[in-house]
Amino acid sequence: MLALRLTRSAHTAVQLRRLLVAAASAGTGFLLLSTLGHALGHPDPASSALRLAWCAVPLAATVYFAIAVARTDPGTRPRPGLSAIGLGPARLMAVSAATTALSCALGSLLALLVFLQLRGDLTGMPSDGAATDFLATGRPLPLPAALTLLALVPLSASAAVAVALRPREPAAGAARAGRTYGRFGAYRRTAVRESFGAYGRFGKHLGAEARGRRTAEAAPEREGTAEETPGTAAGTEPADTGPAVPLTPPSGLPWGIAVLAVGLAVEAFASRTGGGGAPGDRPSALLGLALTAVGLALAGPGLTHLCGRLLQTVRPGALRLLAGRVLMTEATRIGRPLGVVCAVLSAAYAMASLHDREDASAGPLVVLGVLLVAGCTTATLLTAAVEAKQARAGTTAALRRLGAATGTLRRAAVLRAGALLALFGPLTLVVAELSAWPLAR
């Protein structure tokens, strides 16, 4: 009931993102049902298993998008005072998982209704055409199998959201390192030694608590770090979101380049061992394509951090300095979905050379799958941009109080987008050409 109330009272933008999750779930559910219909009409188990394996990519894209939407939901974000009424981080995590499951279940129900409508089970008028053999018209649809396939999206998405937004406790060593024992076993969080009876002096502990509260209240107006505080769920931002730049870049860039090189080498080896044929007949080519996509996704945060560093080279002004520091700070938040988008675009370009154009029966499903994966990854990138904007709310407000013009902040945003496009655009084209060239031979 709490999840339903939070869903109904959400903002319009939040409702739109949830509807997009439901639409993605509907598309993935329809693809899963189409594999069931194909299995009913064709006795070849290998072909049906291959179609079911292809549905793993849209399923992963839908789950990835659902996690991004759950992270930006302001209604389930831990705030002070909610724990007093029983809405701690664990309870809010459960509400987020239930809300995600509700949106995905709505999409799965819509997919079932559309599939039954096309089969003619609801109106008695099935769709005609050579490209509709996956509907298995005239054959009874096993309802338990259909419901099992439709339950994959809600269960996977809710479980992934619960794992991503679980409350994280500090490490045992770090928690123990910041705690010391004062006089007579007094439990303190400071290593400052105090004289005998200092704690018992009137107002001593009250003054320390007041200073701590003043420091916490003044923290959003000072430069700080965007690290997550203990006890908050993943994806929620603390009050201090200053423009502090990480000292070390993300560690995934060398691994991403290595995996990308291995994927391109596997694709080149697949082109030498045998060319042509359907994608299912060339598993090594698909493995190389998958490694290439994983390499781009791993290298995304490091490339974003590098792009921010390049913006600040050669005597930068205030505009380039601000844009570069924001990119370096948000390299992980923005770079990962940006790398996934580049991986999807390059893989789609390479798969066009592997697709058998004479097989018209799988044409609509291939188009639906490509649109679903591309749409989910692009929507995830836009949602990550919204999350980054929410994380920079305190910094943006501080800059405006200091006299920064709105036009300057907008020009910095345009500069960041242009720098990312100038780096990731040619990289995507080069990787797509290198992937498609050996596969098309």
Side-chain angles (χ1 to χ4, degrees):
M1 294 300 296
L2 180 59
L4 288 175
R5 290 180 179 179
L6 291 177
T7 302
R8 291 178 55 187
S9 60
H11 196 265
T12 305
V14 179
Q15 297 286 14
L16 179 60
R17 291 195 290 265
R18 290 171 179 170
L19 288 178
L20 290 177
V21 172
S25 176
T28 306
F30 187 84
L31 290 177
L32 291 171
L33 290 178
S34 67
T35 60
L36 178 60
H38 183 270
L40 293 176
H42 300 78
D44 186 11
S47 177
S48 300
L50 179 61
R51 285 176 174 254
L52 185 60
W54 275 110
C55 292
V57 180
L59 178 61
T62 303
V63 171
Y64 189 47
F65 179 45
I67 294 175
V69 171
R71 287 169 62 94
T72 57
D73 192 352
T76 57
R77 182 173 303 166
R79 292 183 297 273
L82 291 181
S83 299
I85 59 175
L87 293 178
R91 181 70 181 277
L92 291 178
M93 178 268 295
V95 171
S96 297
T99 304
T100 303
L102 183 62
S103 301
C104 294
L106 179 61
S108 298
L109 179 60
L110 180 61
L112 180 60
L113 292 178
V114 172
F115 190 77
L116 294 178
Q117 174 69 24
L118 294 177
R119 278 174 48 90
D121 295 340
L122 299 180
T123 60
M125 298 178 61
S127 301
D128 298 329
T132 58
D133 61 340
F134 59 87
L135 296 175
T137 305
R139 295 179 176 85
L141 183 67
L143 189 60
L147 294 180
T148 301
L149 290 176
L150 290 177
L152 288 178
V153 182
L155 292 179
S156 302
S158 59
V161 168
V163 172
L165 302 184
R166 70 188 184 278
R168 289 180 172 86
E169 296 294 338
R176 193 176 295 112
R179 299 173 181 174
T180 57
Y181 292 90
R183 299 283 184 176
F184 303 105
Y187 195 58
R188 296 289 305 272
R189 293 180 179 269
T190 177
V192 179
R193 296 181 60 87
E194 54 188 23
S195 59
F196 179 80
Y199 186 82
R201 196 173 298 143
F202 180 76
K204 176 68 176 179
H205 61 287
L206 297 179
E209 293 177 358
R211 288 193 299 270
R213 284 195 299 269
R214 288 195 299 268
T215 304
E217 292 174 357
E221 300 182 2
R222 299 197 310 265
E223 291 187 358
T225 59
E227 297 178 354
E228 187 172 324
T229 57
T232 58
T236 61
E237 288 73 24
D240 187 7
T241 55
V245 181
L247 297 179
T248 57
S251 59
L253 183 57
W255 289 102
I257 294 176
V259 174
L260 178 62
V262 171
L264 293 176
V266 171
E267 292 175 8
F269 176 77
S271 67
R272 295 175 60 90
T273 55
D281 300 332
R282 307 176 65 184
S284 57
L286 297 180
L287 176 61
L289 192 61
L291 289 176
T292 303
V294 171
L296 277 176
L298 289 177
L303 291 176
T304 304
H305 192 277
L306 177 62
C307 185
R309 186 176 293 276
L310 291 177
L311 275 178
Q312 303 175 69
T313 57
V314 192
R315 301 180 64 180
L319 189 62
R320 284 197 294 144
L321 190 62
L322 178 61
R325 291 204 171 198
V326 169
L327 280 182
M328 293 174 66
T329 305
E330 299 174 352
T332 303
R333 183 182 285 113
I334 296 295
R336 186 60 53 82
L338 186 58
V340 172
V341 170
C342 295
V344 168
L345 293 178
S346 60
Y349 183 84
M351 285 302 301
S353 60
L354 279 175
H355 179 57
D356 188 7
R357 294 176 176 83
E358 297 180 357
D359 187 11
S361 61
L365 298 180
V366 170
V367 173
L368 177 60
V370 170
L371 291 179
L372 183 62
V373 174
C376 285
T377 51
T378 305
T380 302
L381 177 59
L382 297 178
T383 306
V386 172
E387 181 185 5
K389 184 179 179 181
Q390 294 176 355
R392 292 195 312 269
T395 302
T396 304
L399 289 174
R400 288 179 177 175
R401 287 195 301 267
L402 292 175
T406 305
T408 303
L409 299 178
R410 291 177 180 175
R411 286 193 296 271
V414 172
L415 182 59
R416 292 196 303 269
L420 291 176
L421 183 61
L423 178 63
F424 282 91
L427 176 64
T428 304
L429 292 178
V430 170
V431 173
E433 288 291 342
L434 291 177
S435 300
W437 178 66
L439 295 180
R441 297 178 58 185

